[in-house]
Amino acid sequence: YVALTKPRIIELLLVTTLQTMFVARRGVPSEWLMVATLAGGALAAGGANAINMVVDRDIDKVMHRTRNRPLVTGAMTPGAALVFALVLEAVAFAELWRWVNLLSAVLAVSATAFYVFVYTLWLKRISSQNIVIGGAAGAVPVLVGWAAVTDHLGWAPVVLFAVIFIWTPPHFWALAIKYREDYESAGVPMMPVVTTLKATAGQIVIYTVLLVAVTVLFAVVGHMGALYLASALVLGAVFLVYAVRLRQLATPKAAMRLFRYSITYLTLLFAAMAGDVLLRFH
């Protein structure tokens, strides 16, 4: 049951949610609000990931990276996994509505619906832009975090959403380069499958430049200070170096270096946001 929820993916979603709450509060949110928001977000994301495993079990069986998942090995039936996932979603909605607010509950469950219906059931198997559009689901947790604190949305959380949205393609395409043969054998048209590694790396460079621009835009829209802006520029410059190097080398090894850094990048960027706010307002 734990494996169905993809805990490692949830970890990163919760990091961005929590740091966003600090920015929205301009300080430290109440401990109870943080716990309630993260719990509801984890339940909703876990349910979405479990449904994804139910739908994609045929693909997971073909790919080396995923062939040990519970529904492939027979450790669990698709029916049991689906019931588990739906229960998680119902509990997530009820918990967020009761202990946080209705807006955060609606956003969290809407992200699941988008991930399942738009990405998993529709785009993943037919479009090379699958992760570009479908990645929006992974950007919703920052909206949940902001809504949990303020009970409304505005331009600042929308730009934060854009940061995650634009970060997702270079992050995921780098991993897809490593597992290109897996995706090809499974018939999933990820960018590295339908075009050359060089072309994919070129797209990664473009998205990285856009990412840096949007993180700088957030400094203005979110009224951030020098710590955040300096961190965004330095972290973004390093990201761009990795992206350009991937474009030059065009190797899976270079792609994985970028993939690993992309996780560090996002973690440190959001930590810088929270740190900037705490230094100036707490």
Side-chain angles (χ1 to χ4, degrees):
Y1 282 103
V2 173
L4 283 175
T5 65
K6 303 182 185 178
R8 294 183 65 183
I9 294 177
I10 293 177
E11 286 176 14
L12 196 57
L13 298 178
L14 296 185
V15 166
T16 58
T17 302
L18 180 62
Q19 311 298 355
T20 298
M21 294 178 73
F22 280 81
V23 177
R25 176 64 72 192
R26 292 299 187 187
V28 182
S30 72
E31 293 180 2
W32 173 248
L33 182 63
M34 288 189 285
V35 170
T37 304
L38 294 182
L43 290 169
N49 290 332
I51 296 173
N52 173 266
M53 281 203 193
V54 172
V55 175
D56 281 353
R57 61 190 186 276
D58 59 327
I59 293 175
D60 290 343
K61 187 176 182 179
V62 175
M63 297 177 62
H64 288 84
R65 184 171 66 91
T66 55
R67 58 176 49 173
N68 289 322
R69 287 178 173 174
L71 296 178
V72 177
T73 62
M76 181 177 292
T77 65
L82 184 59
V83 169
F84 171 67
L86 295 177
V87 168
L88 287 184
E89 292 302 322
V91 173
F93 184 85
E95 191 268 352
L96 287 169
W97 189 5
R98 174 64 181 85
W99 298 112
V100 184
N101 54 48
L102 179 59
L103 179 57
S104 63
V106 170
L107 286 168
V109 176
S110 296
T112 295
F114 190 90
Y115 182 62
V116 171
F117 292 103
V118 177
Y119 173 67
T120 305
L121 287 172
W122 178 32
L123 293 174
K124 184 173 182 177
R125 301 178 189 232
I126 65 169
S127 173
S128 62
Q129 297 298 306
N130 46 21
I131 200 63
V132 176
I133 301 169
V140 172
V142 297
L143 301 182
V144 174
W146 195 281
V149 171
T150 66
D151 201 16
H152 69 269
L153 297 176
W155 282 114
V158 168
V159 175
L160 269 185
F161 174 93
V163 168
I164 307 291
F165 182 78
I166 296 170
W167 167 87
T168 301
H171 164 74
F172 199 89
W173 283 336
L175 181 67
I177 288 172
K178 167 73 173 177
Y179 294 101
R180 179 189 174 281
E181 292 183 1
D182 260 5
Y183 284 112
E184 186 175 29
S185 61
V188 179
M190 287 296 175
M191 182 68 73
V193 174
V194 300
T195 189
T196 64
L197 199 159
K198 278 276 190 183
T200 302
Q203 289 293 307
I204 288 174
V205 170
I206 292 171
Y207 272 90
T208 303
V209 171
L210 290 174
L211 176 62
V212 176
V214 174
T215 59
V216 172
L217 175 62
F218 181 71
V220 178
V221 176
H223 306 290
M224 303 302 292
L227 173 61
Y228 166 74
L229 181 57
S231 299
L233 290 172
V234 171
L235 292 169
V238 175
F239 203 136
L240 188 57
V241 167
Y242 275 103
V244 171
R245 190 170 297 169
L246 173 59
R247 179 74 172 80
Q248 293 170 338
L249 299 177
T251 63
K253 188 175 180 180
M256 287 307 292
R257 282 197 292 266
L258 185 147
F259 172 76
R260 286 189 289 268
Y261 175 73
S262 69
I263 298 172
T264 302
Y265 166 86
L266 198 66
T267 303
L268 293 179
L269 181 72
F270 274 76
M273 288 181 197
D276 182 281
V277 166
L278 292 176
L279 281 175
R280 292 188 298 129
F281 296 99
H282 190 60

